[in-house]
Amino acid sequence: MAVLNSIDNAASEIVCVIPAGVCPPLLINCRLPNWHFLPLPSLAGVLKFTPVDTGDYHYCYYYSPLTTRNSPRIVKMGKKMLNQVVQVKQTHWQAFASCFLGVRLVKNFSSQGLLFGGCGSPRDRQRTGEQITAPCIPSEKRLYCCRKFVVSYRPLLNLFGEITMLRPFLLFCAVCCLTLSVSAADWMQWRGPDHNGISQETGLLKDWGSDGPKLVWKVNSLGIGYSNLSFANGMIYSMGDRNGNCFLFALDEKTGEEKWNVNVGPAGGTHEGPRCTPATDGKLVFALGQFGDFVCVDAKTGKEYWGGNVEKDLGGKVMSMWHFAASPVIDGDNVVVPIGGEKGTVVAFKKSENFGINWRSSEITDSCGYNSIVPMTFGGKRQYLLFTVNRVAALDAENGKVLWQAECPGRTAICSDPVFLMEGNTCYLLASSAYNTGARFFKVTADGGKFTIEKIAEDNTLQSHHGGIVQVGGHFYFLTQRELACVEPKTGKTLWKNRSVGKGSIMAVDGKLIVRSETGDGDVALVQPSPESYKEICRFSQPERSNKNSWTYPTVYNGKLYIRDQGLLLCYEVK
């Protein structure tokens, strides 16, 4: 009921995800103005409500994860029904849907499938086993960006003896697209919705010109630090040292005006300032200070629910002298942070207003690096990629147990997250760090719940220091100590290198790369990814550069490009 009560009663249309385990009776007899609810016959799925003034219902459908080969379960809502259903078959599926008012009802769930309403042509209804057809949903590209689905069409004629034509189906299509686009554009934590540095926004400017994109606003009050940005409900969350303390704060997305701030812990450190990017689910925000102070606060007001210190309270330990830098990752009910230490390198806190720990990875007790975990679903298992001073490994998301691991030593500082290319039951993995360690390429194979890993290649010239790695079009791109490189994941072969902007950071959006130099004028370049050669479209220099390295990654959200340099935050229009 709390979830439903959070929905704006004035909404005209909404698509909701109901998480597994929600008891259907909770929804019975629930009444909101112009809303119609019916008892639900199953435990998890997508539920669509359509308020109408005429008294006519449209429809409500609901899918049981227990339903595999049987017909999907449909709840009748008046005289209008679907004429067919697109059933998406995938064992583990990360929920795309969220309330388009910004209320995320569930982050992840596992099921045997999901249902979409459809009204395709007769030719479309004959298709089976094709990837990502769904012709009735106009935003086919965005759906594809969410996941690769295998779809089949199943007619539902005369269900409950009703005529199966849906009256205003285009309205439903529009809502589906809106829901998909909101989810696809979410940037609520470090490196975006899939933790891979890739934004799924589309329709951006193809060229910024020599002067760069239009500057919408700027603020110079963020303080000292390297924290990146996360976004939810019209707010920007970041961190910075100000007046002797480390602060977590929220800014207005439209203007950059500060809405609230929370004192997380002391300021300072080697290379002063926090490095963590806050994580939010729209309700809560989690953040880690450079000295291990960890807090959970209210996303709207900044009210602190709980906090502590991962070093003093949990025995956390960093690999070297630059203090804590990992960003928390929200995944389902877990808030996952690598903190290091003899009791376990990774901790999964409960995503809750009340403090709790779901598990700690006692099988791996390495000191943590300065990177974060990377979630992925592989071989039927939700798992967390981990790159430490000694190894690359994957932990079971449910309990922190080791699923697979391989020796992969780092030295001094491991800063960039590992990156992967998934092809069926095979995962090609790259882990790279600086200080003369370089890149190591692995092949991980899944077979019946078991995993095997083998090293493919290594190259100590491919050193990713702070700037991250992205996988675009089946190739890895990253800025090494001096240049941009394109690498083949399956062989470890370098296809090309180019000076580009020099050493710096990278992200991908709308089929292009944005690379940012960490030194000099802080050049920002737009690059067309290609395994054939380096293809730069344009570049511009950042105004008002500080005298420190610009280690904060570029970020694109809601058609805006954000560039942070210590206390300065620049917001550019790129759509």
Side-chain angles (χ1 to χ4, degrees):
M1 292 294 294
V3 168
L4 291 174
N5 289 337
S6 69
I7 299 172
D8 187 344
N9 293 355
S12 62
E13 186 94 0
I14 196 165
V15 176
C16 301
V17 172
I18 308 299
V22 171
C23 182
L26 289 178
L27 303 180
I28 298 175
N29 297 324
C30 179
R31 292 291 181 267
L32 294 174
N34 296 324
W35 287 71
H36 307 292
F37 296 87
L38 292 178
L40 306 176
S42 54
L43 297 179
V46 170
L47 181 63
K48 178 173 183 288
F49 310 108
T50 306
V52 289
D53 296 329
T54 63
D56 266 344
Y57 295 146
H58 286 181
Y59 64 90
C60 163
Y61 63 84
Y62 201 69
Y63 175 67
S64 167
L66 302 178
T67 302
T68 53
R69 296 183 179 179
N70 297 328
S71 297
R73 301 181 179 183
I74 305 294
V75 179
K76 183 173 71 171
M77 293 187 72
K79 299 180 179 180
K80 305 295 181 181
M81 296 297 298
L82 289 173
N83 70 322
Q84 63 177 23
V85 170
V86 180
Q87 182 173 2
V88 181
K89 298 177 179 178
Q90 185 166 334
T91 303
H92 291 271
W93 193 78
Q94 183 172 350
F96 74 90
S98 62
C99 167
F100 69 77
L101 298 172
V103 181
R104 178 172 292 282
L105 304 182
V106 63
K107 175 63 178 175
N108 294 287
F109 66 91
S110 296
S111 69
Q112 293 294 329
L114 191 69
L115 298 182
F116 289 97
C119 62
S121 66
R123 182 176 65 86
D124 293 324
R125 288 194 290 270
Q126 294 172 2
R127 297 180 180 179
T128 301
E130 296 185 9
Q131 283 193 341
I132 209 63
T133 52
C136 60
I137 299 179
S139 186
E140 182 174 315
K141 183 176 181 181
R142 288 190 174 177
L143 183 60
Y144 184 85
C145 287
C146 291
R147 286 292 183 268
K148 287 184 179 179
F149 298 130
V150 177
V151 301
S152 63
Y153 291 79
R154 186 173 303 183
L156 294 174
L157 301 177
N158 299 318
L159 189 61
F160 300 109
E162 298 289 335
I163 304 299
T164 60
M165 289 298 293
L166 183 61
R167 180 163 50 95
F169 191 80
L170 288 179
L171 181 59
F172 168 64
C173 291
V175 174
C176 276
C177 293
L178 179 57
T179 305
L180 285 167
S181 63
V182 169
S183 177
D186 280 351
W187 201 274
M188 304 173 84
Q189 48 195 326
W190 169 241
R191 302 197 79 204
D194 293 316
H195 316 280
N196 57 6
I198 301 175
S199 169
Q200 294 173 0
E201 294 198 25
T202 58
L204 304 184
L205 295 175
K206 298 182 185 210
D207 193 325
W208 301 334
S210 58
D211 296 330
K214 177 184 175 182
L215 181 65
V216 180
W217 55 257
K218 68 177 180 178
V219 295
N220 205 352
S221 58
L222 274 62
I224 300 170
Y226 305 93
S227 175
N228 216 311
L229 316 173
S230 53
F231 303 80
N233 302 328
M235 301 273 235
I236 303 173
Y237 303 98
S238 193
M239 302 180 74
D241 281 0
R242 301 185 300 201
N243 304 318
N245 289 288
C246 172
F247 286 91
L248 163 66
F249 47 80
L251 309 177
D252 185 281
E253 183 190 334
K254 293 182 179 179
T255 64
E257 176 189 0
E258 187 166 315
K259 293 299 185 181
W260 54 256
N261 63 69
V262 175
N263 187 341
V264 174
T270 309
H271 292 294
E272 293 177 272
R275 303 92 156 91
C276 157
T277 299
T280 181
D281 65 350
K283 179 181 178 183
L284 303 174
V285 181
F286 299 87
L288 178 69
Q290 60 266 45
F291 295 107
D293 300 289
F294 191 64
V295 297
C296 168
V297 307
D298 185 273
K300 184 176 181 180
T301 66
K303 173 186 174 182
E304 185 172 337
Y305 291 116
W306 53 264
N309 188 285
V310 298
E311 183 177 26
K312 297 175 183 177
D313 301 334
L314 300 176
K317 185 178 180 181
V318 187
M319 66 184 294
S320 50
M321 60 184 176
W322 289 295
H323 315 295
F324 290 90
S327 297
V329 168
I330 297 175
D331 187 64
D333 292 328
N334 294 328
V335 182
V336 193
V337 191
I339 67 168
E342 296 179 355
K343 296 181 181 179
T345 301
V346 178
V347 175
F349 296 94
K350 291 183 178 179
K351 192 190 73 171
S352 172
E353 297 172 0
N354 302 308
F355 174 78
I357 293 177
N358 288 329
W359 51 259
R360 189 165 180 178
S361 60
S362 57
E363 293 176 289
I364 296 179
T365 58
D366 300 341
S367 298
C368 67
Y370 303 96
N371 55 344
S372 303
I373 67 100
V374 180
M376 69 174 183
T377 300
F378 175 53
K381 274 283 186 183
R382 189 67 172 169
Q383 45 193 284
Y384 301 142
L385 282 179
L386 175 67
F387 181 21
T388 75
V389 65
N390 294 318
R391 74 195 78 214
V392 62
L395 307 178
D396 191 319
E398 294 182 1
N399 51 35
K401 299 294 183 183
V402 176
L403 295 173
W404 52 265
Q405 61 179 313
E407 182 181 349
C408 186
R411 185 182 297 119
T412 310
I414 297 172
C415 303
S416 289
D417 298 345
V419 66
F420 61 88
L421 169 67
M422 196 84 69
E423 289 189 352
N425 290 328
T426 303
C427 176
Y428 297 94
L429 174 70
L430 167 60
S432 175
S433 60
Y435 301 94
N436 296 317
T437 56
R440 288 171 175 82
F441 297 82
F442 299 91
K443 177 181 177 181
V444 188
T445 304
D447 184 9
K450 296 181 179 181
F451 302 90
T452 57
I453 181 169
E454 60 178 304
K455 186 167 72 173
I456 299 171
E458 62 179 277
D459 185 340
N460 64 7
T461 68
L462 295 172
Q463 300 182 36
S464 178
H465 194 192
H466 301 102
I469 313 167
V470 295
Q471 184 270 115
V472 178
H475 296 88
F476 295 148
Y477 296 87
F478 61 106
L479 292 162
T480 68
Q481 296 284 53
R482 55 181 298 169
E483 56 205 351
L484 181 66
C486 174
V487 181
E488 164 58 48
K490 298 179 183 180
T491 63
K493 178 183 176 182
T494 299
L495 301 180
W496 54 258
K497 293 180 181 179
N498 186 278
R499 180 62 181 164
S500 186
V501 298
K503 184 182 177 185
S505 54
I506 189 170
M507 74 163 295
V509 59
D510 201 13
K512 296 178 177 63
L513 306 176
I514 299 176
V515 291
R516 180 192 187 191
S517 175
E518 70 172 41
T519 58
D521 292 332
D523 283 357
V524 181
L526 187 64
V527 177
Q528 182 66 54
S530 169
E532 298 172 359
S533 63
Y534 177 76
K535 299 178 181 179
E536 183 172 309
I537 300 169
C538 60
R539 73 166 69 189
F540 71 99
S541 296
Q542 175 203 318
E544 304 178 45
R545 270 284 284 130
S546 75
N547 60 0
K548 298 181 183 292
N549 285 335
S550 52
W551 286 332
T552 307
Y553 292 18
T555 303
V556 172
Y557 177 76
N558 202 18
K560 306 292 191 298
L561 168 66
Y562 294 87
I563 300 293
R564 178 180 179 177
D565 183 1
Q566 297 296 314
L568 176 68
L569 179 61
L570 302 165
C571 173
Y572 292 94
E573 180 66 65
V574 290
K575 190 166 187 176

